[in-house]
Amino acid sequence: MGTQEKLAAAGVGPGDEVIVPSYGPSEPAEAVRNAGALPVFADIDPVTFCLDPASVADAVSRRTAAIVPVHLFGHLADLAALRSLACRDGLLLVAPDAPEEGTGGTAGSAVDSRRANAAYLGARLTGVVTPSAAPGVRHRYDSYVVRVPGNGRPDRDAFARALRARGIHCRVPVQTPVHRMPLFRQELWLTETERAADECLALPADAGMSRRELHRVVSACNALGGLMPVAAA
């Protein structure tokens, strides 16, 4: 059963608000809208990139009916804290399915390989902020997302262009926060969401990559020194 169906089955609809993340896929907000409710956007935790329970608590109103968290980049959302909040306020928690960890076989081997690749990159990259996991969480590293710190998007985008010129395939994992999209646009400021949208870049760390390929990523990133100067107008 999808998110929209779960909301409808619980009686969530017109007049209700549902708290969702803005940093990540738009599908949760679309499901809320399709159920007839209003999506309300909360901020993310800067380490996990998932919904920040404190921001969710601040977003709860008398119209709030549900919370829809998302696991992102292979890091699990803090479902324990969100479930506690939902129970406290009598809200529905539409929890995403937990990704299969994989115990042996192809799936498990791929996850283990991504973790090993992430560890290799994390120990060698400089000039970027490498991803980490919250205590007690095993990151799957479905995407290896770093931050390029600086003065906003020009730095990250210049860094990405320079990497691509060196043959390193990288991508911006979230181009536009959902609350900035025309269909859902709201005039609010979500500090960590805005910062992540400006700074984050997904680097290659696929399970099938060799140490030589990973070393090329490290060499290209470290040669840039992290920050890229903004070209003069």
Side-chain angles (χ1 to χ4, degrees):
M1 186 182 294
T3 299
Q4 180 181 342
E5 290 76 18
K6 291 178 181 178
L7 292 171
V12 177
D16 292 326
E17 296 178 352
V18 178
I19 299 173
V20 298
S22 178
Y23 189 75
S26 62
E27 283 80 5
E30 292 169 0
V32 171
R33 180 70 61 85
N34 291 338
L38 176 69
V40 172
F41 299 101
D43 211 351
I44 57 170
D45 179 277
V47 171
T48 70
F49 297 111
C50 300
L51 271 178
D52 178 8
S55 180
V56 172
D58 290 341
V60 172
S61 75
R62 62 183 181 83
R63 293 182 178 274
T64 305
I67 306 167
V68 180
V70 174
H71 303 316
L72 199 60
F73 306 145
H75 196 294
L76 300 178
D78 190 349
L79 296 183
L82 293 172
R83 188 171 289 111
S84 176
L85 176 62
C87 290
R88 186 195 72 184
D89 294 336
L91 307 176
L92 171 70
L93 178 67
V94 182
D97 294 332
E100 293 185 7
E101 182 62 28
T103 54
T106 303
S109 177
V111 174
D112 289 342
S113 294
R114 288 199 303 271
R115 286 182 175 136
N117 292 348
Y120 182 94
L121 293 174
R124 292 164 176 81
L125 285 170
T126 60
V128 297
V129 180
T130 56
S132 58
V137 176
R138 296 198 71 198
H139 205 314
R140 290 170 48 91
Y141 296 102
D142 296 333
S143 293
Y144 188 81
V145 177
V146 302
R147 289 179 183 266
V148 182
N151 299 316
R153 186 163 297 171
D155 299 299
R156 188 272 316 279
D157 289 352
F159 190 85
R161 287 193 296 271
L163 284 184
R164 293 180 188 122
R166 289 163 170 79
I168 304 300
H169 297 287
C170 58
R171 61 183 176 82
V172 176
V174 177
Q175 292 281 352
T176 306
V178 183
H179 76 283
R180 298 296 185 202
M181 295 179 178
L183 184 62
F184 300 102
R185 187 168 184 85
Q186 296 182 17
E187 296 303 323
L188 74 158
W189 182 262
L190 301 173
T191 301
E192 296 300 338
T193 294
E194 307 287 354
R195 190 163 71 91
D198 282 349
E199 294 181 351
C200 285
L201 187 68
L203 299 179
D206 301 333
M209 291 180 67
S210 66
R211 281 289 184 265
R212 182 177 181 180
E213 290 171 323
L214 292 170
H215 181 70
R216 285 187 63 242
V217 175
V218 171
S219 296
C221 288
N222 292 355
L224 296 174
L227 298 181
M228 297 293 296
V230 180

